[in-house]
Amino acid sequence: MESNASEVALDLFPYLKVYKNGTLERIAGVEVVPPGLDPETNVLSKDIVIVPETGVSARIYRPNLISEDRKLPLVVYFHGGAFCVASPAFPPYHTSLNKLVAEANIIALSVDYRLVPEHPLPTAYEDSWVALQWIASHKDEDGNQEAWIKDYVGFEQVFLTGDSAGANIAHHLALRIKESNLGQKLKILGIGMIHPYFWGTSPIGPELNDRSRKELVDKWWLYVCPTDKGCDDPLINPFVDGESADLAGLACDRILIIVAEKDILKGRGWLYYDKLVKSGWKGKAEIMETEGEDHVFHIFNPDCDNANRLTKRLASFFNQGKLPFQLKCESEVLG
């Protein structure tokens, strides 16, 4: 029989367990794979330290065959995991980034922000902001000197991209850029939001008919952000007052939102799209729904047809529509 100390106090399925003695056991996202040359995609990767004092780091990717006289788009990627699990070295994320870089012919930098509960929110947002500042510093003569960024990145073609919690981070950073001087160094062309993690106390869409999953997502957020605002904290609910005026301040020209038919978060993605096109934002909004799939299916089943289509759609987005693609199983609305 378990002692009281080893009894589970909180089970945040499928991410982690908290025991009564205060210890934490992460169940998901704990495996790691080293960087290097991926023989399947011919993509190179390496780990870099961004802030030695805090340990904030990233995994950077580039095509193995690359010309120094052509600057490539930079995709700054923020992984998912409800702010409390996973990393760029988690094998499904590493595989996904290799495939994306190969398909789109881009440079990608996957940020290893610090996780809840050891580092409470808004640490993940701050770490991700620092990563953007670090990237921008490469434009300064006396700035950082990471060769893959200095030699290959086009600073006028930067994209913020993430899945789930990472898409949430991308949204908040794009709002913050508008109020800073960072936009003078980095031109954020677009945001790729894959199955974005937004939420709210009052159910909408598929949440109305799936009380058990609604309660589960409620529990996740209340754990990672235990404030008196609950699931209507502005970090997770950008429309808490029914307003969308802030979206007009998003510092980018194009936004692609990708949702999945069976995802409990789908309604929030569609709400974001609807609010965005009505907000007065001057950019181009696109939304794509993948039929028959659930949350971040492409991460855990990267070789399926729908995952390949999703990757091609993102690649097209990063390359301003230059890459051909077909959408056979997705419902797509172009704003």
Side-chain angles (χ1 to χ4, degrees), residues 192-232:
M193 308 177 77
I194 311 164
H195 309 163
Y197 182 26
F198 298 118
W199 203 237
T201 301
S202 299
I204 65 170
E207 305 160 27
L208 292 165
N209 300 316
D210 197 340
R211 180 174 296 181
S212 61
R213 290 182 77 187
K214 172 72 167 69
E215 291 174 351
L216 188 63
V217 181
D218 285 348
K219 188 164 69 168
W220 295 343
W221 179 253
L222 295 175
Y223 174 73
V224 300
C225 189
T227 68
D228 57 357
K229 298 176 182 178
C231 293
D232 283 332

Side-chain angles (χ1 to χ4, degrees), residues 113 136 142 178 218 242 252-253 290 312 331:
Y113 55 84
D142 58 348
K178 199 74 171 183
D218 285 348
C252 64
D253 299 328
T290 308
K312 288 180 181 295
S331 165

Side-chain angles (χ1 to χ4, degrees), residues 33-203:
V33 65
L37 176 63
D38 178 53
E40 180 181 340
T41 60
N42 202 28
V43 169
L44 279 172
S45 60
K46 65 179 179 179
D47 291 335
I48 52 178
V49 176
I50 293 175
V51 185
E53 294 80 8
T54 62
V56 175
S57 62
R59 181 162 290 187
I60 189 169
Y61 298 80
R62 71 169 178 86
N64 189 22
L65 301 176
I66 191 169
S67 172
E68 290 192 21
D69 60 0
R70 180 190 174 193
K71 301 299 184 181
L72 300 180
L74 172 67
V75 171
V76 186
Y77 194 90
F78 309 100
H79 68 80
F83 296 99
C84 59
V85 298
S87 74
F90 184 45
Y93 278 116
H94 183 65
T95 297
S96 179
L97 266 292
N98 278 323
K99 288 179 176 291
L100 185 60
V101 169
E103 182 67 40
N105 194 36
I106 56 174
I107 307 297
L109 185 139
S110 184
V111 179
D112 193 9
Y113 55 84
R114 290 172 290 174
L115 301 176
V116 173
E118 296 89 343
H119 305 282
L121 294 180
T123 300
Y125 299 97
E126 294 302 323
D127 288 350
S128 300
W129 179 252
V130 168
L132 285 187
Q133 292 179 311
W134 179 85
I135 292 167
S137 73
H138 287 75
K139 290 199 71 176
D140 301 330
E141 289 187 7
D142 58 348
N144 286 288
Q145 299 294 318
E146 168 50 51
W148 289 10
I149 294 178
K150 294 284 283 188
D151 294 343
Y152 305 127
V153 164
F155 292 99
E156 300 301 314
Q157 42 185 342
V158 177
F159 294 83
L160 307 181
T161 302
D163 66 280
S164 196
N168 176 303
I169 290 173
H171 158 80
H172 285 286
L173 294 188
L175 288 177
R176 187 168 177 177
I177 288 171
K178 199 74 171 183
E179 305 301 323
S180 77
N181 62 2
L182 197 64
Q184 299 173 13
K185 295 181 178 180
L186 299 179
K187 171 61 176 175
I188 308 298
L189 286 184
I191 304 175
M193 308 177 77
I194 311 164
H195 309 163
Y197 182 26
F198 298 118
W199 203 237
T201 301
S202 299

Side-chain angles (χ1 to χ4, degrees), residues 314-333:
L314 284 169
S316 173
F317 180 70
F318 300 145
N319 287 281
Q320 303 293 301
K322 294 178 182 177
L323 297 180
F325 62 92
Q326 286 186 316
L327 297 175
K328 296 180 180 177
C329 297
E330 296 89 356
S331 165
E332 177 159 340
V333 178

Side-chain angles (χ1 to χ4, degrees), residues 284-300:
K284 180 182 180 182
E286 307 168 48
I287 188 164
M288 181 183 87
E289 180 171 326
T290 308
E291 295 179 357
E293 302 288 0
D294 211 328
H295 193 63
V296 297
F297 72 92
H298 65 296
I299 297 295
F300 294 100

